[in-house]
Amino acid sequence: QVQMTESGGDLVQAGGSLRLSCKASGLKFEDYAMGWFRQAPGKEREGISCINYVSDIYAADSVKGRFTTSRDNDKDTLYLQMNSLKPEDTAMYYCASSIASTCSDSWASTSRYNYWGQGTQVTVSS
């Protein structure tokens, strides 16, 4: 079966950096777009970025210039490099596998993704 496993979440001070990883198994990773989402307590799940099968990237305005998404198809792994972290970045972070190879204009909709990880917690202290 398909498994998506995030890692790398931690407690960090504002201005710091973290790198999240998402290891995928049970699917042909290179054929699918991948997404990063986050969800803070009491809020809806928010799309952060989508990277398609040829590594074109879509990203939310709130993270542009601070977060970088990448993938290593040889390792079936998705990455999220987060710099200049802010307290408002505090959330559970999830990776997800898209139903398609491309991201499309609706990349931030959770309905575009069919496999999700369990999440990794990122906490940014002020």
Side-chain angles (χ1 to χ4, degrees):
Q1 72 275 22
V2 176
Q3 286 191 318
M4 312 285 289
T5 306
E6 303 95 339
S7 62
D10 206 344
L11 170 64
V12 63
Q13 287 190 332
S17 298
L18 282 175
R19 188 195 197 200
L20 305 185
S21 299
C22 172
K23 174 70 174 176
S25 62
L27 79 168
K28 197 174 180 185
F29 181 81
E30 62 193 30
D31 284 353
Y32 294 97
M34 296 286 159
W36 283 105
F37 288 75
R38 65 185 179 188
Q39 188 166 20
K43 295 189 176 182
E44 292 189 354
R45 194 164 293 191
E46 171 193 16
I48 298 172
S49 65
C50 178
I51 181 168
N52 71 13
Y53 73 115
V54 291
S55 295
D56 295 323
I57 299 167
Y58 295 67
D61 289 342
S62 60
V63 304
K64 282 181 181 177
R66 300 189 300 124
F67 292 9
T68 302
T69 300
S70 61
R71 65 190 295 164
D72 186 336
N73 289 339
D74 291 334
K75 295 182 178 179
D76 294 346
T77 302
L78 175 71
Y79 300 100
L80 182 67
Q81 176 67 44
M82 304 186 293
N83 299 327
S84 302
L85 282 161
K86 305 175 182 180
E88 52 263 44
D89 294 318
T90 295
M92 186 71 79
Y93 282 70
Y94 300 90
C95 63
S97 175
S98 174
I99 58 176
S101 60
T102 56
C103 294
S104 87
D105 291 340
S106 60
W107 66 267
S109 170
T110 57
S111 64
R112 293 278 302 173
Y113 302 84
N114 53 355
Y115 298 108
W116 294 81
Q118 293 299 306
T120 186
Q121 178 67 40
V122 172
T123 303
V124 184
S125 63
S126 57

